[in-house]
Amino acid sequence: MVIALFLYLLALICWLGGMIFFTAIVAPVVFTLLPLCEAGKFVAGIFPRYYLIGYVAGLIGVVLAIYFAVERPPRLWWSLSAVALGVALGLTIYAGAVVRPQVDAVRMVVEEQHPDLARRAEFDRLHRLSVMLNGGVMVLNLAALFTTAIALTANG
């Protein structure tokens, strides 16, 4: 049980910590120090690994939260963690497997001197969607972390 709990917490830490680090530190620094074209290429190169961490950590988190919901009390809090992580994993898969390739397909429009307005609007829409999905996954991870904390308390 201790090893399972350790792996569960490690998965949450890696997933949420990686997202916070990328969003709060890496992306702002990269877009401040590099020209827009280079910054976009750099970030696009990170995203496959960024989403892979989410897929792996999310799967581990969901499976172990379900295991804890079945095997240990308080089942409600572990179940809520499992639901939050399951939805977060679904959003991550959608963002990484569906939205990211669409963004990559129109990303070059940002570098053009006189971009096609429709393509630029599509890029902006997809970028906003990606940011919203990322924010949603972070909130769901925080909710899972909170419900986990409750489940692990003596009174939980």
Side-chain angles (χ1 to χ4, degrees):
M1 189 64 72
V2 171
I3 292 173
L5 185 58
F6 173 80
L7 292 174
Y8 171 80
L9 293 172
L10 182 61
L12 263 62
I13 290 166
C14 289
W15 194 6
L16 183 58
M19 292 178 72
I20 291 170
F21 180 72
F22 177 80
T23 303
I25 306 224
V26 173
V29 169
V30 166
F31 280 98
T32 299
L33 296 179
L34 296 177
L36 186 60
C37 173
E38 296 304 314
K41 289 178 186 175
F42 181 86
V43 170
I46 288 175
F47 275 141
R49 291 170 183 91
Y50 175 85
Y51 286 112
L52 181 61
I53 289 171
Y55 303 153
V56 172
L59 183 61
I60 291 168
V62 169
V63 167
L64 289 174
I66 291 169
Y67 169 74
F68 295 140
V70 170
E71 292 295 321
R72 22 178 334 159
R75 288 175 173 60
L76 172 65
W77 294 111
W78 287 115
S79 296
L80 290 173
S81 292
V83 169
L85 292 172
V87 173
L89 178 58
L91 292 177
T92 299
I93 292 169
Y94 178 72
V98 176
V99 176
R100 185 183 62 83
Q102 292 175 357
V103 170
D104 287 347
V106 295
R107 184 175 52 83
M108 298 306 287
V109 73
V110 176
E111 303 167 17
E112 297 172 359
Q113 290 282 348
H114 304 288
D116 175 64
L117 295 180
R119 283 183 51 228
R120 179 59 199 225
E122 179 66 3
F123 174 83
D124 291 342
R125 182 190 72 77
L126 290 167
H127 182 262
R128 273 191 310 278
L129 176 60
S130 179
V131 168
M132 288 174 23
L133 290 168
N134 194 57
V137 171
M138 279 196 226
V139 168
L140 288 163
N141 269 268
L142 287 169
L145 188 59
F146 182 73
T147 56
T148 296
I150 294 170
L152 291 174
T153 61
N155 297 327

